[in-house]
Amino acid sequence: MRIHPSIVARALALCGVLALLTNAPTARAQAPNAAADLAARINRERVARGLGPYALSARLTAAAQAHANDIARTTRYSHTGADGSTAQERSARAGYGKYSWGWRVGENWAHFHDVATAFAAWMDSEPHRNNLLHALYREFGVGVAATPAGAFVYVINFGAQPNVLPIFINDGAAETRAPEVTLTLSDEQVMPGGDGANVIGHPVQIEVSNRVDFAGAAWQPFASRVNWTLTPGGGTKSVYVKYRDARGRTTTASAAIMLNIPTTPTPRPTRTATRTPRPTTTPTSTKTPAPTETPTETPTEAPTTTPTLMPTLAPTTTATWTPIAAWSMSVIPAVGIDAITVIAPTALGAFGLVLALGLWAIIRRVRKD
């Protein structure tokens, strides 16, 4: 039996179409969590290497999202926007702060089907990795946009702006089970000597407080890591830090974390029954004294007295129980690097379907021949 080449060609074409149709919905389903996933991966890598996390900037996120949308819509895979804009210009449009000489920003972009592959590719590329692990950037923004083929465009904008020195509680954790925490403080290393009369340089002192007015706080030497205790009780807790440099210029920052202290139930007491002892019943006999004999002509026999028993009733026994206790419960140009792209993998389910359809087509053709 000879299989005509046209049958094989049609089967392979069908395989490609079904792969696209099957893969696109799966990729689009990742979109809502892709930005958060990518941000978390970057900060985990930074912390693991002894670097402070990046703080999420709404302005950098707006710039990154605008460029991701632009690439996905126009398929112009570049750091230059369809309107000719640069990363600095897009950051400026979003209102990101600049130093007296311009913006200190950088940018990564990639085109992949999932966050893990994009992040791994960046880490394998020195220019991309340098942005992810930069010592001068303090903030980032994440943009994600789906393409018609079912893949995604990922854009990260990095930056540092004057007088913005973010702080992190427990390396940016969302919650803690104990009030004792560790604060990670940022440093001004883009302009360590400051920039003008009002832009702070490298801080030499800090004040830390659980109150926004810093009541009772005292100045202490600057350190990048500070042990701190949150206010008692559960709920959202905020910590405030005021920085001061050698020239007296200051800036403040704050961070919040949810304190969830687990409750320990009081041990349940053992029930103990207390029983009143049952008294012993003792009969009491009462004897009537014998009457005095009076001599008569016909003497009569003195009656025999029979003692009468008077039993005492036994009291009712009552068991008492102890109650059960209740449970208590720069201008520096942006890094210019090429994007990395990959071909969409064929889903296993599509492969099985194609195999069945190809088999069916072959059988039909053989029967006709």
Side-chain angles (χ1 to χ4, degrees), residues 319-347:
T320 60
W321 304 85
T322 57
I324 300 172
W327 286 86
S328 63
M329 290 282 327
S330 327
V331 167
I332 297 178
V335 177
I337 50 180
D338 294 330
I340 306 166
T341 59
V342 294
I343 299 174
T346 302

PDB file of all heavy atoms in Angstrom, residues 319-347:
ATOM      1  N   ALA A 319     -23.427  13.864  91.737  1.00  0.00           N
ATOM      2  CA  ALA A 319     -22.107  14.038  91.106  1.00  0.00           C
ATOM      3  C   ALA A 319     -21.976  15.461  90.608  1.00  0.00           C
ATOM      4  O   ALA A 319     -22.855  15.968  89.933  1.00  0.00           O
ATOM      5  CB  ALA A 319     -21.944  13.069  89.942  1.00  0.00           C
ATOM      6  N   THR A 320     -20.923  16.145  90.965  1.00  0.00           N
ATOM      7  CA  THR A 320     -20.694  17.516  90.500  1.00  0.00           C
ATOM      8  C   THR A 320     -19.548  17.494  89.490  1.00  0.00           C
ATOM      9  O   THR A 320     -18.600  16.743  89.628  1.00  0.00           O
ATOM     10  CB  THR A 320     -20.332  18.448  91.676  1.00  0.00           C
ATOM     11  OG1 THR A 320     -19.148  17.952  92.278  1.00  0.00           O
ATOM     12  CG2 THR A 320     -21.448  18.488  92.695  1.00  0.00           C
ATOM     13  N   TRP A 321     -19.661  18.359  88.467  1.00  0.00           N
ATOM     14  CA  TRP A 321     -18.664  18.399  87.378  1.00  0.00           C
ATOM     15  C   TRP A 321     -18.047  19.785  87.310  1.00  0.00           C
ATOM     16  O   TRP A 321     -18.727  20.777  87.458  1.00  0.00           O
ATOM     17  CB  TRP A 321     -19.338  18.085  86.027  1.00  0.00           C
ATOM     18  CG  TRP A 321     -20.053  16.776  86.019  1.00  0.00           C
ATOM     19  CD1 TRP A 321     -21.311  16.506  86.438  1.00  0.00           C
ATOM     20  CD2 TRP A 321     -19.520  15.548  85.582  1.00  0.00           C
ATOM     21  NE1 TRP A 321     -21.591  15.194  86.283  1.00  0.00           N
ATOM     22  CE2 TRP A 321     -20.500  14.572  85.759  1.00  0.00           C
ATOM     23  CE3 TRP A 321     -18.254  15.176  85.050  1.00  0.00           C
ATOM     24  CZ2 TRP A 321     -20.309  13.245  85.430  1.00  0.00           C
ATOM     25  CZ3 TRP A 321     -18.071  13.849  84.717  1.00  0.00           C
ATOM     26  CH2 TRP A 321     -19.091  12.898  84.924  1.00  0.00           C
ATOM     27  N   THR A 322     -16.750  19.832  87.064  1.00  0.00           N
ATOM     28  CA  THR A 322     -16.107  21.129  86.848  1.00  0.00           C
ATOM     29  C   THR A 322     -16.456  21.601  85.448  1.00  0.00           C
ATOM     30  O   THR A 322     -16.495  20.814  84.512  1.00  0.00           O
ATOM     31  CB  THR A 322     -14.565  21.011  86.970  1.00  0.00           C
ATOM     32  OG1 THR A 322     -14.128  20.047  86.039  1.00  0.00           O
ATOM     33  CG2 THR A 322     -14.142  20.606  88.364  1.00  0.00           C
ATOM     34  N   PRO A 323     -16.761  22.874  85.279  1.00  0.00           N
ATOM     35  CA  PRO A 323     -17.171  23.374  83.957  1.00  0.00           C
ATOM     36  C   PRO A 323     -16.046  23.255  82.941  1.00  0.00           C
ATOM     37  O   PRO A 323     -14.875  23.346  83.266  1.00  0.00           O
ATOM     38  CB  PRO A 323     -17.529  24.841  84.216  1.00  0.00           C
ATOM     39  CG  PRO A 323     -16.732  25.191  85.417  1.00  0.00           C
ATOM     40  CD  PRO A 323     -16.685  23.940  86.272  1.00  0.00           C
ATOM     41  N   ILE A 324     -16.446  23.044  81.660  1.00  0.00           N
ATOM     42  CA  ILE A 324     -15.481  22.966  80.554  1.00  0.00           C
ATOM     43  C   ILE A 324     -15.083  24.379  80.161  1.00  0.00           C
ATOM     44  O   ILE A 324     -15.920  25.215  79.877  1.00  0.00           O
ATOM     45  CB  ILE A 324     -16.108  22.238  79.351  1.00  0.00           C
ATOM     46  CG1 ILE A 324     -16.509  20.823  79.757  1.00  0.00           C
ATOM     47  CG2 ILE A 324     -15.156  22.222  78.178  1.00  0.00           C
ATOM     48  CD1 ILE A 324     -17.288  20.105  78.706  1.00  0.00           C
ATOM     49  N   ALA A 325     -13.786  24.638  80.160  1.00  0.00           N
ATOM     50  CA  ALA A 325     -13.317  25.982  79.816  1.00  0.00           C
ATOM     51  C   ALA A 325     -13.574  26.271  78.336  1.00  0.00           C
ATOM     52  O   ALA A 325     -13.431  25.408  77.497  1.00  0.00           O
ATOM     53  CB  ALA A 325     -11.814  26.111  80.107  1.00  0.00           C
ATOM     54  N   ALA A 326     -13.942  27.526  78.037  1.00  0.00           N
ATOM     55  CA  ALA A 326     -14.181  27.910  76.633  1.00  0.00           C
ATOM     56  C   ALA A 326     -12.858  27.991  75.889  1.00  0.00           C
ATOM     57  O   ALA A 326     -11.832  28.351  76.459  1.00  0.00           O
ATOM     58  CB  ALA A 326     -14.891  29.265  76.592  1.00  0.00           C
ATOM     59  N   TRP A 327     -12.888  27.649  74.584  1.00  0.00           N
ATOM     60  CA  TRP A 327     -11.677  27.755  73.755  1.00  0.00           C
ATOM     61  C   TRP A 327     -11.374  29.219  73.511  1.00  0.00           C
ATOM     62  O   TRP A 327     -12.212  29.971  73.063  1.00  0.00           O
ATOM     63  CB  TRP A 327     -11.893  27.051  72.421  1.00  0.00           C
ATOM     64  CG  TRP A 327     -11.881  25.574  72.543  1.00  0.00           C
ATOM     65  CD1 TRP A 327     -12.910  24.766  72.851  1.00  0.00           C
ATOM     66  CD2 TRP A 327     -10.763  24.725  72.372  1.00  0.00           C
ATOM     67  NE1 TRP A 327     -12.507  23.476  72.887  1.00  0.00           N
ATOM     68  CE2 TRP A 327     -11.200  23.406  72.586  1.00  0.00           C
ATOM     69  CE3 TRP A 327      -9.412  24.946  72.050  1.00  0.00           C
ATOM     70  CZ2 TRP A 327     -10.361  22.314  72.498  1.00  0.00           C
ATOM     71  CZ3 TRP A 327      -8.580  23.861  71.959  1.00  0.00           C
ATOM     72  CH2 TRP A 327      -9.047  22.549  72.188  1.00  0.00           C
ATOM     73  N   SER A 328     -10.145  29.640  73.799  1.00  0.00           N
ATOM     74  CA  SER A 328      -9.751  30.981  73.483  1.00  0.00           C
ATOM     75  C   SER A 328      -8.883  30.943  72.241  1.00  0.00           C
ATOM     76  O   SER A 328      -8.026  30.098  72.113  1.00  0.00           O
ATOM     77  CB  SER A 328      -8.983  31.618  74.624  1.00  0.00           C
ATOM     78  OG  SER A 328      -7.801  30.932  74.860  1.00  0.00           O
ATOM     79  N   MET A 329      -9.661  31.006  72.168  1.00  0.00           N
ATOM     80  CA  MET A 329      -8.894  30.848  70.957  1.00  0.00           C
ATOM     81  C   MET A 329      -7.524  31.641  71.089  1.00  0.00           C
ATOM     82  O   MET A 329      -7.086  31.882  72.154  1.00  0.00           O
ATOM     83  CB  MET A 329      -9.784  31.325  69.825  1.00  0.00           C
ATOM     84  CG  MET A 329     -10.905  30.356  69.636  1.00  0.00           C
ATOM     85  SD  MET A 329     -10.362  28.868  68.743  1.00  0.00           S
ATOM     86  CE  MET A 329      -9.141  29.320  67.623  1.00  0.00           C
ATOM     87  N   SER A 330      20.354  57.068  32.987  1.00  0.00           N
ATOM     88  CA  SER A 330      21.260  57.978  33.462  1.00  0.00           C
ATOM     89  C   SER A 330      20.876  58.871  32.555  1.00  0.00           C
ATOM     90  O   SER A 330      20.155  58.724  32.376  1.00  0.00           O
ATOM     91  CB  SER A 330      22.057  57.167  34.046  1.00  0.00           C
ATOM     92  OG  SER A 330      22.353  56.552  34.440  1.00  0.00           O
ATOM     93  N   VAL A 331      21.421  62.087  31.565  1.00  0.00           N
ATOM     94  CA  VAL A 331      20.655  61.003  30.862  1.00  0.00           C
ATOM     95  C   VAL A 331      21.605  59.874  30.480  1.00  0.00           C
ATOM     96  O   VAL A 331      22.567  60.125  29.781  1.00  0.00           O
ATOM     97  CB  VAL A 331      19.998  61.569  29.564  1.00  0.00           C
ATOM     98  CG1 VAL A 331      19.465  60.530  28.616  1.00  0.00           C
ATOM     99  CG2 VAL A 331      18.959  62.557  29.985  1.00  0.00           C
ATOM    100  N   ILE A 332      21.494  58.687  30.957  1.00  0.00           N
ATOM    101  CA  ILE A 332      22.285  57.536  30.529  1.00  0.00           C
ATOM    102  C   ILE A 332      21.412  56.722  29.601  1.00  0.00           C
ATOM    103  O   ILE A 332      20.284  56.388  29.942  1.00  0.00           O
ATOM    104  CB  ILE A 332      22.723  56.687  31.749  1.00  0.00           C
ATOM    105  CG1 ILE A 332      23.643  57.535  32.640  1.00  0.00           C
ATOM    106  CG2 ILE A 332      23.398  55.412  31.317  1.00  0.00           C
ATOM    107  CD1 ILE A 332      24.073  56.825  33.875  1.00  0.00           C
ATOM    108  N   PRO A 333      21.903  56.382  28.395  1.00  0.00           N
ATOM    109  CA  PRO A 333      21.017  55.696  27.439  1.00  0.00           C
ATOM    110  C   PRO A 333      20.550  54.362  27.950  1.00  0.00           C
ATOM    111  O   PRO A 333      21.240  53.691  28.736  1.00  0.00           O
ATOM    112  CB  PRO A 333      21.895  55.543  26.190  1.00  0.00           C
ATOM    113  CG  PRO A 333      23.298  55.641  26.695  1.00  0.00           C
ATOM    114  CD  PRO A 333      23.258  56.569  27.874  1.00  0.00           C
ATOM    115  N   ALA A 334      19.379  53.958  27.531  1.00  0.00           N
ATOM    116  CA  ALA A 334      18.846  52.657  27.912  1.00  0.00           C
ATOM    117  C   ALA A 334      19.705  51.567  27.305  1.00  0.00           C
ATOM    118  O   ALA A 334      20.331  51.742  26.284  1.00  0.00           O
ATOM    119  CB  ALA A 334      17.407  52.510  27.418  1.00  0.00           C
ATOM    120  N   VAL A 335      19.700  50.443  27.963  1.00  0.00           N
ATOM    121  CA  VAL A 335      20.490  49.326  27.469  1.00  0.00           C
ATOM    122  C   VAL A 335      19.915  48.851  26.148  1.00  0.00           C
ATOM    123  O   VAL A 335      18.733  48.534  26.048  1.00  0.00           O
ATOM    124  CB  VAL A 335      20.478  48.185  28.495  1.00  0.00           C
ATOM    125  CG1 VAL A 335      21.235  46.985  27.971  1.00  0.00           C
ATOM    126  CG2 VAL A 335      21.076  48.677  29.801  1.00  0.00           C
ATOM    127  N   GLY A 336      20.708  48.800  25.113  1.00  0.00           N
ATOM    128  CA  GLY A 336      20.215  48.378  23.811  1.00  0.00           C
ATOM    129  C   GLY A 336      20.526  46.914  23.577  1.00  0.00           C
ATOM    130  O   GLY A 336      21.675  46.553  23.399  1.00  0.00           O
ATOM    131  N   ILE A 337      19.525  46.109  23.618  1.00  0.00           N
ATOM    132  CA  ILE A 337      19.711  44.675  23.436  1.00  0.00           C
ATOM    133  C   ILE A 337      18.606  44.135  22.571  1.00  0.00           C
ATOM    134  O   ILE A 337      17.516  44.705  22.485  1.00  0.00           O
ATOM    135  CB  ILE A 337      19.720  43.943  24.788  1.00  0.00           C
ATOM    136  CG1 ILE A 337      18.517  44.372  25.614  1.00  0.00           C
ATOM    137  CG2 ILE A 337      20.986  44.199  25.550  1.00  0.00           C
ATOM    138  CD1 ILE A 337      18.457  43.708  26.948  1.00  0.00           C
ATOM    139  N   ASP A 338      18.883  43.018  21.906  1.00  0.00           N
ATOM    140  CA  ASP A 338      17.893  42.430  21.021  1.00  0.00           C
ATOM    141  C   ASP A 338      16.966  41.525  21.799  1.00  0.00           C
ATOM    142  O   ASP A 338      17.368  40.898  22.776  1.00  0.00           O
ATOM    143  CB  ASP A 338      18.591  41.621  19.923  1.00  0.00           C
ATOM    144  CG  ASP A 338      19.406  42.523  19.009  1.00  0.00           C
ATOM    145  OD1 ASP A 338      19.022  43.692  18.846  1.00  0.00           O
ATOM    146  OD2 ASP A 338      20.415  42.049  18.482  1.00  0.00           O
ATOM    147  N   ALA A 339      15.758  41.438  21.349  1.00  0.00           N
ATOM    148  CA  ALA A 339      14.805  40.557  21.989  1.00  0.00           C
ATOM    149  C   ALA A 339      15.065  39.136  21.566  1.00  0.00           C
ATOM    150  O   ALA A 339      15.660  38.877  20.529  1.00  0.00           O
ATOM    151  CB  ALA A 339      13.389  40.960  21.622  1.00  0.00           C
ATOM    152  N   ILE A 340      14.592  38.242  22.345  1.00  0.00           N
ATOM    153  CA  ILE A 340      14.749  36.823  22.047  1.00  0.00           C
ATOM    154  C   ILE A 340      13.382  36.250  21.767  1.00  0.00           C
ATOM    155  O   ILE A 340      12.440  36.510  22.497  1.00  0.00           O
ATOM    156  CB  ILE A 340      15.388  36.102  23.237  1.00  0.00           C
ATOM    157  CG1 ILE A 340      16.697  36.803  23.618  1.00  0.00           C
ATOM    158  CG2 ILE A 340      15.629  34.644  22.952  1.00  0.00           C
ATOM    159  CD1 ILE A 340      17.231  36.391  24.942  1.00  0.00           C
ATOM    160  N   THR A 341      13.268  35.500  20.690  1.00  0.00           N
ATOM    161  CA  THR A 341      11.979  34.915  20.358  1.00  0.00           C
ATOM    162  C   THR A 341      12.110  33.417  20.240  1.00  0.00           C
ATOM    163  O   THR A 341      13.183  32.880  19.973  1.00  0.00           O
ATOM    164  CB  THR A 341      11.429  35.469  19.027  1.00  0.00           C
ATOM    165  OG1 THR A 341      12.371  35.166  18.005  1.00  0.00           O
ATOM    166  CG2 THR A 341      11.231  36.959  19.093  1.00  0.00           C
ATOM    167  N   VAL A 342      10.992  32.742  20.423  1.00  0.00           N
ATOM    168  CA  VAL A 342      10.950  31.296  20.268  1.00  0.00           C
ATOM    169  C   VAL A 342       9.719  30.907  19.490  1.00  0.00           C
ATOM    170  O   VAL A 342       8.777  31.673  19.366  1.00  0.00           O
ATOM    171  CB  VAL A 342      10.917  30.569  21.641  1.00  0.00           C
ATOM    172  CG1 VAL A 342      12.190  30.768  22.389  1.00  0.00           C
ATOM    173  CG2 VAL A 342       9.717  31.031  22.434  1.00  0.00           C
ATOM    174  N   ILE A 343       9.744  29.702  18.911  1.00  0.00           N
ATOM    175  CA  ILE A 343       8.595  29.178  18.181  1.00  0.00           C
ATOM    176  C   ILE A 343       7.673  28.510  19.178  1.00  0.00           C
ATOM    177  O   ILE A 343       8.104  27.805  20.079  1.00  0.00           O
ATOM    178  CB  ILE A 343       9.038  28.164  17.115  1.00  0.00           C
ATOM    179  CG1 ILE A 343       9.971  28.865  16.113  1.00  0.00           C
ATOM    180  CG2 ILE A 343       7.851  27.546  16.408  1.00  0.00           C
ATOM    181  CD1 ILE A 343      10.583  27.937  15.093  1.00  0.00           C
ATOM    182  N   ALA A 344       6.398  28.692  18.985  1.00  0.00           N
ATOM    183  CA  ALA A 344       5.430  28.117  19.912  1.00  0.00           C
ATOM    184  C   ALA A 344       5.537  26.608  19.938  1.00  0.00           C
ATOM    185  O   ALA A 344       5.554  25.964  18.901  1.00  0.00           O
ATOM    186  CB  ALA A 344       4.020  28.517  19.497  1.00  0.00           C
ATOM    187  N   PRO A 345       5.588  25.965  21.101  1.00  0.00           N
ATOM    188  CA  PRO A 345       5.605  24.504  21.178  1.00  0.00           C
ATOM    189  C   PRO A 345       4.251  23.938  20.825  1.00  0.00           C
ATOM    190  O   PRO A 345       3.221  24.528  21.092  1.00  0.00           O
ATOM    191  CB  PRO A 345       5.966  24.251  22.645  1.00  0.00           C
ATOM    192  CG  PRO A 345       5.479  25.460  23.340  1.00  0.00           C
ATOM    193  CD  PRO A 345       5.633  26.592  22.387  1.00  0.00           C
ATOM    194  N   THR A 346       4.230  22.770  20.234  1.00  0.00           N
ATOM    195  CA  THR A 346       2.962  22.120  19.897  1.00  0.00           C
ATOM    196  C   THR A 346       2.412  21.420  21.120  1.00  0.00           C
ATOM    197  O   THR A 346       3.113  20.700  21.807  1.00  0.00           O
ATOM    198  CB  THR A 346       3.182  21.086  18.779  1.00  0.00           C
ATOM    199  OG1 THR A 346       3.743  21.762  17.668  1.00  0.00           O
ATOM    200  CG2 THR A 346       1.885  20.429  18.379  1.00  0.00           C
ATOM    201  N   ALA A 347       1.170  21.681  21.392  1.00  0.00           N
ATOM    202  CA  ALA A 347       0.545  21.073  22.568  1.00  0.00           C
ATOM    203  C   ALA A 347       0.379  19.588  22.353  1.00  0.00           C
ATOM    204  O   ALA A 347       0.125  19.128  21.250  1.00  0.00           O
ATOM    205  CB  ALA A 347      -0.810  21.724  22.813  1.00  0.00           C
TER     206      ALA A 347
END
